[in-house]
Amino acid sequence: RKEVEQDPGPFNVPEGATVAFNCTYSNSASQSFFWYRQDCRKEPKLLMSVYSSGNEDGRFTAQLNRASQYISLLIRDSKLSDSATYLCVVNLGRGGGSTLGRLYFGRGTQLTVWP
Amino acid sequence: DAGVIQSPRHEVTEMGQEVTLRCKPISGHDYLFWYRQTMMRGLELLIYFNNNVPIDDSGMPEDRFSAKMPNASFSTLKIQPSEPRDSAVYFCASSTPVGSRYEQYFGPGTRLTVT
């Protein structure tokens, strides 16, 4: 079973729409959670960390549900520039033993925002 | 900081040739990761180092692949001999813990084509 599962999409939404991505992780010992963004033919870049209480960064809101082992990313008022692949990422932390420091990446969810 | 630096950015080589990819991590980062990305398999972790010591090389496809980290500011990934199925984008990433969080920063990647 994969550590992180995501809906691959694609999601095609008009500008101004609200879109939500979800992912699940398999290891309850996971300690840290992130969303990365990857533009076409570019490297993945950290979009935001996900904290237990949920957190917001402008139009982006990330939420974590430890009981359900579920992470979400909400994008409000979508812009054309939001078109990218969004990667859900977890780290096992000290519970991961020898995997301390390693990140587990989902396959990504592709988003296209159209005018 | 200049970020993670990788060279070359593009490499085209013939089957059977040796290929060497290079990476300079962000100064002060004590973790270094080598990934491979293809459309079919997504982002795969090949190997990672902590304080220049290989921690997990279980993702290295076969003996044709080898990686070294002779010092804290340099790492190489070598493929010898190369095969067409090695064609992919190879990313190097580095990180250091901030509290308990391990945010990774990626280099721009090396796009390898083996003909």
Side-chain angles (χ1 to χ4, degrees), chain A residues 55-96:
Chain A
N55 49 295
E56 190 173 302
D57 182 1
R59 298 181 293 108
F60 298 83
T61 300
Q63 301 228 313
L64 169 66
N65 183 323
R66 284 190 182 271
S68 301
Q69 295 179 203
Y70 172 98
I71 306 162
S72 66
L73 177 69
L74 183 77
I75 305 175
R76 292 181 300 278
D77 188 22
S78 300
K79 311 291 185 190
L80 297 177
S81 56
D82 294 334
S83 297
T85 296
Y86 291 83
L87 303 164
C88 180
V89 184
V90 305
N91 170 250
L92 300 184
R94 298 207 173 273

Side-chain angles (χ1 to χ4, degrees), chain B residues 24-74:
Chain B
K24 176 178 168 56
I26 292 172
S27 177
H29 281 193
D30 50 358
Y31 283 86
L32 183 139
F33 304 81
W34 282 102
Y35 293 89
R36 177 173 69 177
Q37 188 173 41
T38 62
M39 289 292 291
M40 290 293 293
R41 294 188 296 271
L43 193 65
E44 302 173 279
L45 177 65
L46 300 178
I47 185 171
Y48 77 100
F49 297 83
N50 180 218
N51 292 320
N52 313 337
V53 176
I55 301 300
D56 184 354
D57 65 354
S58 60
M60 296 286 260
E62 48 199 274
D63 291 346
R64 297 185 297 107
F65 286 69
S66 62
K68 293 182 179 179
M69 191 165 186
N71 57 63
S73 58
F74 184 66

Side-chain angles (χ1 to χ4, degrees), chain A residues 33 36 38 43 49 98 101, chain B residues 33 37 48 101 103-104 107:
Chain A
F33 309 88
Y36 275 68
Q38 186 172 23
E43 73 273 23
S49 296
S98 63
Chain B
F33 304 81
Q37 188 173 41
Y48 77 100
R101 306 192 76 82
E103 299 171 353
Q104 281 182 24

Side-chain angles (χ1 to χ4, degrees), chain A residues 2 4 14 16 18 28 33 41 44 46 72 75 79 81 84 95 97 103 105 109 114-115:
Chain A
K2 292 189 177 183
V4 182
T18 295
S28 60
F33 309 88
R41 301 179 74 84
L46 178 65
S72 66
I75 305 175
K79 311 291 185 190
S81 56
L103 297 184
F105 286 79
T109 299
W114 46 274

